[in-house]
Amino acid sequence: MAAFDIGDVADLLGIRRLGQGDNFDVVCPYCGDTRGKMNFCIRKNGREVNLYHCFHCGAGGNMLTLYADMKGITGTDRWKRACREIGEKLKDKNQGNSRPIYFPDREKEKRIRKQEIPRANGNIIDRVYRQLFSQMTLTGEHERKLADRGLSEHQIEALHARSIPAGEGERLAEMLLNRDLRVAGVPGFFRTDQGNWSIAFPKSDGILFPIPDEKGRWCAVQMRMDHEKDGRKYLWLSSAKYPAGVSSKSPAAFWGDMDSPKIAVTEGGLKAYCAWCFSGKPFIGLPGVGQAGSLRDFLTQKRGSGQIFLECMDMDKYMDVSCDGKDRHCKTCDEKDGSRKTCPHKLLKRTLIREGCNRFYRLCEENGLYCRRMKWDIETGGRWDGRWKGIDDKLLSLKKAG
């Protein structure tokens, strides 16, 4: 038996638990998901395994991989170094005890998880969302925020963006039902304790916008919050944890003609929309840089088409990872004296972006599709110069320059 387990490592790293016991969910330290998609398993079938996996971003490994990733430990001996460092820190933390005092909840904390109902078909979801959005409005403040991204009045209108109508879920659901629309199985809709249909809008302010599938049907709704929630600004309208609810499934967003000779792929539905508006070229917005798997079926359908895919992920993939003492994680970094040459948090971020890009390359290769890697604002040494991070930022700068 190891001197520690993945639960001890989670506590050492300050990872927020969403449950207890030998098998528990956490807030994902890789992608920030708070819905319990990241699972930590200490024991399985009576045997210690100490593994983790996120069903949202795909991150996975053992407790030493986790610690090495979070601390930026690299090299062929990273597991050995991680094991030694964990042992030393836990020994200090527990005042010399060889093993931390850990009391797993064998019963496991009872968590309320409602069974999802079958998802409605794409045409029904599209019809419900379009009617729903026709009954909502966009505030002047949110319109200005979209204009600040470079979108014209016409482009904002074409996005169909709306402001989150907090507290209006039941009223809007009832309105749709009165129009003979079926809301059961539509992501975001659920049954209240009183048996009424409602919509799982967040209580805080933000902008909603529809996500179109490759056929142009609205298949999900994404929200850009005015203020970060658990470190995230973009959320999905989902009712997976409510009675008779349905998950959004975090789909990719398709903007433009998907039969074009060249199709660009970036991260984020809104970013892809802006890039499409600024360039006139079709764009796909992945739900996350590590979620190339959301395009698996689409790329399979494109096999043999001869189309070229342009990878336009953020230029963080070429970021400088040297320690400059100015990162937002510096206050909690173990190397407070600035003696570390490489920032572990920058290195982890760059590594995850590159791994996500590699997943997309592999999917294209598997389907015989040519993928071209796009770069912009690169210094002589091959590093990003820090100006325009996203492809939408770069395209907007070119548009302004004439």
Side-chain angles (χ1 to χ4, degrees):
M1 179 180 292
F4 50 83
D5 56 43
I6 197 170
D8 302 318
V9 175
D11 295 338
L12 188 62
L13 293 171
I15 295 172
R16 183 176 146 208
R17 297 191 187 210
L18 300 176
Q20 299 294 329
D22 287 349
N23 195 322
F24 57 95
D25 297 333
V26 302
V27 173
C28 180
Y30 291 89
C31 67
D33 185 271
T34 61
R35 299 168 296 174
K37 298 291 186 180
M38 169 64 91
N39 177 260
F40 280 18
C41 181
I42 299 174
R43 294 175 186 83
K44 187 174 183 180
N45 298 325
R47 182 174 63 89
E48 280 204 12
V49 292
N50 291 309
L51 299 173
Y52 67 93
H53 179 76
C54 180
F55 292 91
H56 182 250
C57 68
N62 60 44
M63 61 181 173
L64 300 181
T65 307
L66 174 70
Y67 188 87
D69 281 351
M70 294 299 108
K71 293 298 182 180
I73 301 174
T74 59
T76 56
D77 64 340
R78 66 196 301 250
W79 282 8
K80 185 184 294 183
R81 290 161 56 199
C83 185
R84 182 171 61 249
E85 194 169 304
I86 294 169
E88 290 173 353
K89 290 190 175 184
L90 289 175
K91 184 176 180 179
D92 293 340
K93 182 179 178 182
N94 291 276
Q95 299 178 344
N97 291 333
S98 60
R99 180 178 176 85
I101 300 173
Y102 177 69
F103 300 97
D105 181 2
R106 305 294 181 184
E107 299 283 326
K108 212 173 181 183
E109 181 185 81
K110 291 184 179 180
R111 299 170 59 201
I112 300 176
R113 282 186 178 274
K114 303 295 183 180
Q115 184 72 33
E116 286 190 34
I117 64 174
R119 186 183 179 90
N121 71 50
N123 293 329
I124 291 177
I125 293 174
D126 175 76
R127 200 153 51 240
V128 168
Y129 282 154
R130 290 182 186 274
Q131 281 293 320
L132 173 63
F133 273 64
S134 71
Q135 300 300 309
M136 299 187 294
T137 59
L138 184 69
T139 65
E141 178 186 357
H142 286 149
E143 186 173 357
R144 284 190 294 274
K145 286 186 176 182
L146 292 171
D148 288 343
R149 295 184 70 107
L151 294 175
S152 67
E153 183 176 341
H154 171 72
Q155 289 165 343
I156 293 173
E157 182 179 351
L159 177 62
H160 299 283
R162 300 290 187 266
S163 298
I164 295 175
E168 293 289 299
E170 281 197 53
R171 183 186 69 80
L172 289 169
E174 183 179 5
M175 177 273 300
L176 294 172
L177 291 169
N178 289 336
R179 296 188 178 190
D180 294 326
L181 289 169
R182 176 190 169 191
V183 300
V186 177
F189 288 80
F190 70 97
R191 289 276 193 186
T192 67
D193 292 339
Q194 291 73 38
N196 301 321
W197 283 102
S198 186
I199 309 173
F201 292 126
K203 295 179 180 179
S204 45
D205 296 330
I207 303 171
L208 314 119
F209 54 94
I211 298 296
D213 64 15
E214 63 270 30
K215 297 179 181 178
R217 299 178 303 185
W218 293 4
C219 62
V221 174
Q222 197 165 30
M223 302 175 284
R224 187 185 191 280
M225 310 307 294
D226 290 348
H227 304 286
E228 286 190 2
K229 183 176 181 181
D230 295 318
R232 302 173 64 201
K233 270 205 168 183
Y234 287 90
L235 304 175
W236 292 93
L237 183 62
S238 172
S239 51
K241 292 189 176 181
Y242 294 90
V246 179
S247 169
S248 69
K249 301 298 183 185
S250 303
F254 295 81
W255 304 104
D257 182 5
M258 290 299 127
D259 290 323
S260 296
K262 294 181 180 178
I263 301 175
V265 178
T266 189
E267 175 193 359
L270 184 56
K271 182 179 296 183
Y273 178 77
C274 291
W276 175 49
C277 290
F278 302 153
S279 67
K281 308 295 184 182
F283 265 83
I284 298 175
L286 295 179
V289 69
Q291 293 176 272
S294 61
L295 292 183
R296 187 178 301 278
D297 292 342
F298 174 75
L299 294 176
T300 299
Q301 295 169 11
K302 290 298 182 180
R303 182 178 296 171
S305 66
Q307 290 172 286
I308 297 173
F309 287 83
L310 309 177
E311 181 265 291
C312 300
M313 302 301 179
D314 285 359
M315 290 305 291
D316 297 35
K317 60 192 174 189
Y318 296 111
M319 69 187 296
D320 182 4
V321 297
S322 60
C323 179
D324 58 8
K326 299 178 181 179
D327 190 83
R328 63 189 180 94
H329 294 98
C330 286
K331 292 181 179 179
T332 57
C333 183
D334 293 336
E335 304 292 335
K336 294 183 174 63
D337 58 0
S339 60
R340 187 190 288 262
K341 293 183 179 180
T342 300
C343 171
H345 297 283
K346 290 180 182 177
L347 178 61
L348 174 61
K349 182 177 181 180
R350 190 179 73 178
T351 300
L352 291 175
I353 294 173
R354 290 182 175 183
E355 288 178 353
C357 293
N358 288 337
R359 292 190 189 102
F360 177 63
Y361 303 148
R362 287 194 295 270
L363 276 177
C364 287
E365 184 178 0
E366 289 171 8
N367 291 284
L369 299 168
Y370 179 71
C371 180
R372 183 184 301 167
R373 182 179 304 179
M374 305 304 292
K375 304 178 184 178
W376 54 92
D377 301 326
I378 295 290
E379 295 177 339
T380 306
R383 292 281 179 262
W384 171 48
D385 66 11
R387 282 187 298 170
W388 311 116
K389 184 175 74 169
I391 184 63
D392 58 329
D393 299 324
K394 182 60 180 178
L395 290 172
L396 180 59
S397 71
L398 293 174
K399 181 182 177 182
K400 289 180 177 179

